[in-house]
Amino acid sequence: MNTTGPVDKGLRLIPFRGLRYVRERVGSLSAVTSPPYDVVVRPDGLHHLESADPYNIVRLILPQAATPEDRHHRAAATLERWVAEGVLAPDPEPALYVYEQRRGEVLQRGVIGALALSSPAAGIVLPHEDVMPDVVEDRAALLRTTAANLEPLLLTYRGDPDAAGGTAGVVERALARTPLLTTTTEDGFAHRLWSVTDSADLAHIADDLAHRQALIADGHHRWATYLRLREEHSGAARGPAGPWGYGLVLLIDTARYPLQVRSIHRLLRGLPVDRAVAALAGAFRVRTVGGPLPEALGALADAAATGNAFLLAGDGRFHLVDRPDEELLSRTVPTDRPAAWQRLDATVLHATLLDHVWRIPDDPEHITYIHDTEAAVVQAERTGGTAVLLHPVREDVVRELARQGVTMPRKSTSFGPKPATGLVMRSVTLG
């Protein structure tokens, strides 16, 4: 994903004064962090995080109140109070931040900074998924009211694997220094964070990124939110949109630190499994497969190797759905996009199953998107709905479609590991 060209045609990552928890004012750093807002399983995960520490970041990213407006104002008031009380404090000078996550053999390192925003047409930051307007509206209202980037997006780029300098060199040198913070979160990941303020190191990063483009791995709705608010603030005195012309991101060089790609599953709240299966007669092959869940997912992986396949759950059993009727696909899947897009499981799920077979509207009242596989099954069994489990899309397919400017159905992929929310934030008023 490398490109070459003028400096203003690539990534521009600038330092900012990170807003961080003051360790002495909270129980522990791990107790105040959270997964990204859209990964928190509600209501169980939300309640768990709220009870972990009175200053848990979930009170900012998922505030609770009777109306959306009240929720956003509550988050803004909470943020203001925490800063006034010294629970959160800005770092003394602008910095980029080297961030490391490690669990067992999984190791991810990257750089957190404020990235200059650009439209998809510019070809600098490539989205690969569609977004839901209502989610963008909600996130925009939260960001607008709090004037803060509360969690970094996850972006990837392809660096030069044999190069010793540039961003990779700065990351390696940071590892030799004492980190700003270390913590281990509940999911077993160890996190470390270093600040980069040296002018030479900042220049190395700037020069290295100036001719690269990035793929949005996680955070399409937040990126769309950034762009909307940039448009609202365009013409500000400090340049195009001023500080609103930048957004908080974590950039990962996947030539050195490949990401894992997982699926995002669907919970169909108003559709019991027996009705879902009955509607598939003549359209797909349906078989009951044995559990437990890992074995059923293995059967899904085998079926997905040769075509579209899904796993339905929610009635205490697992139902493998595969071998769609080709004539049905030709009638329901749009043909105005590349063949690779037409063959995606997410495409067939939305265009054929949801829109045509089950006739379920794609809105929050009917469909919940859940990252965790077991949680999707549990929620389906608890609510009497149907969990539709998907097999992950290969990363090369995602990248190639993004290069062509083709977006996948929303919530098609889950790249990881995702950065922990709450380790470093960006106040827009501080730049």
Side-chain angles (χ1 to χ4, degrees):
M1 292 197 55
N2 293 353
T3 62
T4 58
V7 169
D8 62 351
K9 297 300 182 182
L11 301 171
R12 189 157 71 93
L13 194 70
I14 67 168
F16 68 102
R17 294 179 63 194
L19 188 63
R20 298 190 295 111
Y21 280 99
V22 177
R23 186 187 298 269
E24 294 76 17
R25 295 299 311 276
V26 297
S28 69
L29 288 176
S30 63
V32 296
T33 61
S34 164
Y37 80 96
D38 57 340
V39 180
V40 175
V41 178
R42 288 164 267 188
D44 297 356
L46 178 62
H47 294 159
H48 173 72
L49 291 165
E50 287 180 328
S51 62
D53 190 283
Y55 298 115
N56 189 281
I57 191 70
V58 77
R59 287 179 168 80
L60 301 182
I61 62 172
L62 291 173
Q64 300 300 294
T67 67
E69 184 178 10
D70 288 344
R71 290 198 297 269
H72 304 142
H73 285 293
R74 172 169 291 184
T78 300
L79 176 61
E80 182 178 4
R81 183 175 71 253
W82 288 358
V83 172
E85 294 174 352
V87 174
L88 293 170
D91 284 334
E93 60 181 319
L96 297 180
Y97 297 85
V98 170
Y99 176 49
E100 177 189 270
Q101 295 165 269
R102 183 192 294 268
R103 184 177 68 185
E105 296 182 355
V106 177
L107 174 62
Q108 180 168 284
R109 291 176 180 142
V111 179
I112 295 175
L115 183 68
L117 305 180
S118 58
S119 67
I124 299 172
V125 176
L126 305 177
H128 71 268
E129 288 184 355
D130 295 329
V131 296
M132 293 176 275
D134 58 312
V135 177
V136 174
E137 179 58 39
D138 179 74
R139 291 293 103 183
L142 179 64
L143 200 164
R144 187 185 299 115
T145 307
T146 60
N149 300 157
L150 299 172
E151 44 190 340
L153 281 66
L154 179 61
L155 273 59
T156 71
Y157 69 99
R158 297 289 293 179
D160 304 316
D162 299 325
T167 304
V170 175
V171 170
E172 291 300 320
R173 287 192 292 276
L175 302 179
R177 297 188 279 108
T178 302
L180 291 174
L181 63 84
T182 61
T183 189
T184 299
T185 45
E186 196 172 58
D187 57 7
F189 272 98
H191 307 261
R192 297 196 293 173
L193 190 77
W194 296 262
S195 65
V196 178
T197 58
D198 179 78
S199 58
D201 284 340
L202 296 175
H204 287 313
I205 293 175
D207 292 344
D208 182 34
L209 298 179
H211 64 282
R212 305 194 187 280
Q213 62 182 176
L215 175 75
I216 301 177
D218 185 69
H220 284 80
H221 290 88
R222 283 166 284 165
W223 182 258
T225 294
Y226 288 168
L227 295 180
R228 174 179 294 191
L229 294 177
R230 179 186 67 163
E231 182 67 22
E232 291 180 7
H233 290 84
S234 61
R238 293 175 58 190
W244 294 92
Y246 300 83
L248 185 65
V249 305
L250 166 63
L251 275 172
I252 301 291
D253 177 1
T254 54
R256 293 174 181 269
Y257 303 103
L259 270 67
Q260 300 171 326
V261 187
R262 294 189 173 92
S263 297
I264 302 176
H265 310 294
R266 277 68 169 159
L267 170 61
L268 312 182
R269 292 189 172 276
L271 182 66
V273 175
D274 58 347
R275 282 175 44 199
V277 169
L280 295 172
F284 288 76
R285 182 176 70 168
V286 182
R287 294 172 290 157
T288 300
V289 296
L293 180 58
E295 291 187 15
L297 291 174
L300 173 62
D302 291 341
T306 58
N308 298 116
F310 312 92
L311 193 66
L312 308 187
D315 62 350
R317 298 180 295 171
F318 298 103
H319 307 270
L320 183 62
V321 178
D322 64 354
R323 296 188 183 179
D325 177 71
E326 291 298 329
E327 192 275 332
L328 173 64
L329 295 184
S330 66
R331 285 191 292 108
T332 56
V333 175
T335 58
D336 58 345
R337 300 191 186 187
W341 179 89
Q342 297 177 42
R343 292 192 297 267
L344 292 170
D345 287 337
T347 298
V348 172
L349 171 60
H350 283 261
T352 303
L353 287 172
L354 294 177
D355 292 350
H356 181 81
V357 176
W358 292 327
R359 300 186 182 278
I360 295 178
D362 190 0
D363 59 49
E365 182 179 348
H366 296 87
I367 302 177
T368 301
Y369 293 84
I370 301 178
H371 291 70
D372 184 83
T373 309
E374 185 175 355
V377 175
V378 170
Q379 291 264 30
E381 293 176 345
R382 180 182 299 170
T383 62
T386 296
V388 183
L389 309 181
L390 288 83
H391 187 67
V393 182
R394 297 197 320 273
E395 184 178 359
D396 63 312
V397 174
V398 176
R399 289 185 179 277
E400 183 54 37
L401 288 174
R403 285 194 185 100
Q404 298 177 47
V406 177
T407 53
M408 300 167 63
R410 49 184 169 258
K411 299 295 183 181
S412 294
T413 60
S414 176
F415 284 83
K418 304 179 189 302
T421 296
L423 296 182
V424 59
M425 292 159 272
R426 173 179 176 257
S427 168
V428 176
T429 59
L430 294 175

